[in-house]
Amino acid sequence: MSDRSSSALAQPLRPPSAGRAAACLGLLLLGAVIGAAGVLVQPAWFPGGLLLALAGEAGLVLGATRVLRSRAGGVWAAGGWMLVVILLTASRPEGDFLFAAAGGSYLFLLGGIAVAVICATLAPGRQPDGPPVRLGK
């Protein structure tokens, strides 16, 4: 390990700036809006609504990682999506519910989780400052 990288690891953590914290909360809220819209769209025009809802979530998570230039943006957006979708799966005492026990609803839940994980992890992360590293000769 070089001297420069070991000194960078020894630095104390700094709290995020106010702008970055506001951006993270905004992405959480935007993820919640996209999740609620997906819940309403996916059963309406099956299978097109399901594909539209999952494409909207993929665009949100990828866009969030690009805006914040880190995977944290995608995690915040996916967290908002997940929070709303999980809360909307619960039935009410009156018997009202938004998710039917059908294949499309399960595809939306599991597919949405898979899309969020794939998009958040495939996005480029921050690289440390320094020269590019080559493996091998």
Side-chain angles (χ1 to χ4, degrees):
M1 201 182 248
S2 70
D3 184 41
R4 183 176 183 186
S5 64
S6 63
S7 66
L9 293 175
Q11 299 297 321
L13 292 175
R14 295 177 311 205
S17 66
R20 188 168 177 88
C24 289
L25 290 177
L27 289 171
L28 182 81
L29 183 62
L30 189 59
V33 169
I34 294 293
V39 166
L40 297 175
V41 166
Q42 64 91 17
W45 303 308
F46 188 80
L50 174 65
L51 295 174
L52 181 66
L54 292 177
E57 182 199 6
L60 169 71
V61 175
L62 282 175
T65 58
R66 301 253 190 247
V67 166
L68 286 186
R69 293 188 202 122
S70 73
R71 292 182 181 121
V75 170
W76 280 96
W81 182 89
M82 183 84 61
L83 181 68
V84 166
V85 169
I86 295 298
L87 287 176
L88 291 177
T89 59
S91 62
R92 298 183 42 178
E94 296 88 13
D96 299 337
F97 59 90
L98 290 174
F99 281 97
S105 297
Y106 294 122
L107 282 174
F108 178 67
L109 288 171
L110 297 176
I113 293 169
V115 164
V117 168
I118 289 168
C119 291
T121 56
L122 286 181
R126 284 191 282 180
Q127 297 296 319
D129 295 333
V133 177
R134 290 190 57 147
L135 299 175
K137 289 186 176 189

